[in-house]
Each structure stands twice: as C-alpha cells, then as structure tokens.
Amino acid sequence: AQSVAQPEDQVNVAEGNPLTVKCTYSVSGNPYLFWYVQYPNRGLQFLLKYITGDNLVKGSYGFEAEFNKSQTSFHLKKPSALVSDSALYFCAVRPSRGGYNKLIFGAGTRLAVHP
Amino acid sequence: DTAVSQTPKYLVTQMGNDKSIKCEQNLGHDTMYWYKQDSKKFLKIMFSYNNKELIINETVPNRFSPKSPDKAHLNLHINSLELGDSAVYFCASSQSSSSYNEQFFGPGTRLTVL
C-alpha cells in the first residue's frame, strides 16, 4: 500500500535556527514527491517537488528538500527559520507510473517558529 | 486574480439538506480535483476530472456527485447531508493529469452540518 508518514505532529524552532520537517514514504516504483504548505484558513500552496535528477530540490520561500532513495525520505529544510514560516506542512507522494495524478498526503506537521 | 476560486467560503446547513459547492479555475488547466480535509487536517482526494471526464472516483458515498460543465469548472453536489460530512472541502487543479504536475488549491469551503 502506498503511504506517506510525517512522524512529528509539531516542530518547534527558534527564529533564525535551521528547521527540518520529516517525511518518509512507501510507494511502488519511483516516487514523485511534493511539499505543500497551508496557512491558517487558507488552501494548500505548492512549495517544491522531486521528479528526477538532483536529489536536492530548491523551492519557494527559501525551502529545500532532499530526496534519499535508500531511506525513502524527503525531508523539508530551511537554513534559517522565520516566524512567518509558522504553518501546517504536508508531504505528498505518488508513483511515477500507473493511475493519474492521485496524490497521497501525509497527516501534516505543524511548524511553530518562535521569535 | 484568483487562480482557483470556490463558493461559498462557509456553508452551514441542517442534516438532510442538499447543497452544492462551486469551483472555478482560470489557469487553463485540464484537470480538477475535490479533496476533503477533516477536523484533524487529514487530506483525502475524492474525485478528479480531466477535460470533463471523471478519472478518479475514490470510495465516497454516492450522496456526493461531482459535475464538470467545462474544464474550468468542477462543482460538488451533496445530497442528504450528514453530520460526518462536516469538513473543509478543497478544489484543486493541475495542468494535466500527468503525475509530475503540481496542484493548485482553492481557499476551501468550510461545511458545517448541524
């Protein structure tokens, strides 16, 4: 069965410190991986995606994520957190073959950046 | 300009009623989706249409019926509303149904069934 795990319900970081939001996945074949962010009372916004190529993917707002095939992980990172980064972050996956663009989402991780 | 818009933003109704949520995208995308986000923020796909053709139909009660009059619109009609239908419903679109396309989400419709 295809699935995404975000092991932390919440991540707390001080402003200016690096942040990591973890994601691991289980999918048949090669995965396509995505990160989305949801601010309060808003829809999801696309941050970045891994399709193929360089394992380090750079996205919006200074975020990046590293695809690690052996560990089946796609952790989201940022070198220096901002208070405005506080939001709900979703990792999503789908296999590169079969079916349509059916994304499977993780349960979400709430990022809280403290001044 | 709003890329993916939904109406209404809030919907409060009684059990047993029938209601509709409308979605429009002005991105020229071919594919549209409906998602349900429950109170624990878990997000699950319900339906997807590609060029007005239904391509994803998850295990959703048949009280839920999507309709796509054209590729820029995907509406969701819900019959005989139940308490468990209370959630936030998100519409989304993508350039095509290809798996590498990111999806663009609307602002959501918060449905409360009393």
Side-chain angles (χ1 to χ4, degrees):
Chain A
Q2 295 160 144
S3 63
V4 178
Q6 293 181 242
E8 302 151 317
D9 289 337
Q10 179 151 330
V11 170
N12 297 299
V13 177
E15 189 174 29
N17 282 0
L19 70 87
T20 299
V21 182
K22 294 180 181 177
C23 172
T24 59
Y25 64 89
S26 172
V27 68
S28 54
N30 293 322
Y32 291 157
L33 294 152
F34 302 80
W35 275 102
Y36 287 83
V37 59
Q38 185 178 25
Y39 296 99
N41 299 314
R42 305 283 293 275
L44 277 72
Q45 293 178 32
F46 169 73
L47 275 181
L48 51 80
K49 65 182 177 183
Y50 172 81
I51 302 302
T52 188
D54 194 349
N55 290 342
L56 184 64
V57 179
K58 293 188 184 296
S60 306
Y61 312 121
F63 283 93
E64 58 188 28
E66 186 163 13
F67 170 60
N68 187 318
K69 188 171 184 177
S70 61
Q71 296 185 5
T72 61
S73 67
F74 190 55
H75 301 331
L76 182 70
K77 300 182 180 186
K78 187 173 181 181
S80 178
L82 299 172
V83 172
S84 57
D85 293 330
S86 299
L88 187 58
Y89 289 81
F90 289 95
C91 181
V93 68
R94 68 137 296 151
S96 57
R97 288 188 178 182
Y100 293 98
N101 196 355
K102 180 180 166 183
L103 282 177
I104 299 164
F105 283 87
T109 298
R110 192 166 298 282
L111 174 66
V113 182
H114 305 287
Chain B
D1 286 341
T2 303
V4 182
S5 59
Q6 296 178 225
T7 53
K9 189 170 174 67
Y10 300 95
L11 187 52
V12 181
T13 188
Q14 300 286 332
M15 265 197 315
N17 283 351
D18 304 338
K19 289 294 178 185
S20 293
I21 307 172
K22 294 185 177 182
C23 177
E24 178 181 2
Q25 54 95 3
N26 63 7
L27 297 166
H29 288 170
D30 286 342
T31 311
M32 297 184 72
Y33 312 81
W34 276 111
Y35 286 88
K36 180 180 180 181
Q37 186 175 46
D38 63 22
S39 58
K40 295 186 178 179
K41 304 297 185 184
F42 184 69
L43 201 67
K44 193 170 190 307
I45 191 165
M46 300 172 69
F47 302 103
S48 178
Y49 272 72
N50 186 62
N51 266 323
K52 302 192 297 176
E53 180 187 348
L54 181 66
I55 58 171
I56 296 174
N57 186 352
E58 288 297 283
T59 308
V60 176
N62 57 16
R63 299 181 294 104
F64 289 78
S65 54
K67 283 190 171 50
S68 181
D70 56 62
K71 73 175 193 177
H73 296 84
L74 180 61
N75 304 323
L76 183 65
H77 188 75
I78 315 169
N79 288 328
S80 303
L81 278 155
E82 300 178 358
L83 292 176
D85 297 333
S86 296
V88 181
Y89 291 84
F90 287 101
C91 177
S93 72
S94 63
Q95 187 171 357
S96 73
S97 58
S98 296
S99 53
Y100 49 79
N101 290 142
E102 61 267 30
Q103 295 177 18
F104 294 78
F105 284 76
T109 295
R110 184 175 294 277
L111 171 65
T112 303
V113 182
L114 304 174

